[in-house]
Amino acid sequence: MWDSLQHLSYWNWLAVGTLLLILEVFGAGGYLLWIGLAAACVGVLTFLFPELPWTLQFILFGVLSVLTAVLWWRRQRSAAKPSDQPGLNRRGSELVGRQFVLYEAIASGRGKIKAGDTLWLVSGPDLPAGSQVRVIGQDGVLLKVEASG
């Protein structure tokens, strides 16, 4: 084992890098990409400097793995921008603050409003159908309302 470690060639590092990149294709989510590239870089350095000690090769591999991952993470964080559609996938959040007429009376804390062509289940104080209500919050598909007038 120690003998094979002391005689690592650039082919070993390129093979490890290739294997990691192939595994990345199968869905590692980007984790193995940077480690595979680090292994390939160590392979190139070992090709250029064939007498590089194996301990230094492993140190370079570790440092390059961490460095490439951190640099990519920082680039991704700086490139992230707020969404131009913050309400996307939060259906109903656009109704908060708006007023509606009760479509179905609120009895025992539950009723319905009609927003556009959709009926929404609402919770709030008991009110008769036709009352004006304002949406004050949302709990999943249930809108919380209060009387407005």
Side-chain angles (χ1 to χ4, degrees):
M1 170 88 178
W2 290 107
D3 189 44
S4 62
L5 280 179
Q6 292 175 358
H7 299 291
L8 285 174
S9 73
Y10 66 94
W11 285 114
N12 298 110
W13 287 107
L14 292 177
V16 168
T18 303
L19 177 66
L20 289 169
L21 292 175
I22 288 171
L23 291 174
E24 174 63 35
V25 169
F26 291 110
Y31 299 110
L32 297 179
L33 175 66
W34 305 111
I35 299 171
L37 289 177
C41 288
V42 172
V44 169
L45 288 173
T46 306
F47 177 75
L48 296 174
F49 306 103
E51 296 303 316
L52 205 60
W54 68 272
T55 53
L56 188 56
Q57 291 177 26
F58 277 98
I59 290 171
L60 280 171
F61 174 65
V63 168
L64 287 173
S65 295
V66 170
L67 185 66
T68 55
V70 167
L71 287 174
W72 180 251
W73 178 76
R74 289 185 71 199
R75 184 194 175 286
Q76 289 295 92
R77 294 261 336 241
S78 67
K81 60 179 181 174
S83 174
D84 58 344
Q85 297 178 351
L88 188 63
N89 294 332
R90 290 192 343 217
R91 191 165 182 250
S93 64
E94 74 277 0
L95 301 176
V96 175
R98 292 181 51 195
Q99 291 190 7
F100 297 95
V101 175
L102 272 178
Y103 183 79
E104 189 176 291
I106 300 177
S108 301
R110 302 289 173 143
K112 292 183 181 176
I113 62 170
K114 189 168 188 172
D117 61 348
T118 307
L119 287 176
W120 285 86
L121 187 61
V122 297
S123 69
D126 291 353
L127 295 168
S131 300
Q132 285 282 343
V133 293
R134 188 177 77 222
V135 178
I136 58 171
Q138 181 180 8
D139 184 17
V141 296
L142 181 69
L143 298 176
K144 297 177 183 177
V145 297
E146 67 182 5
S148 67

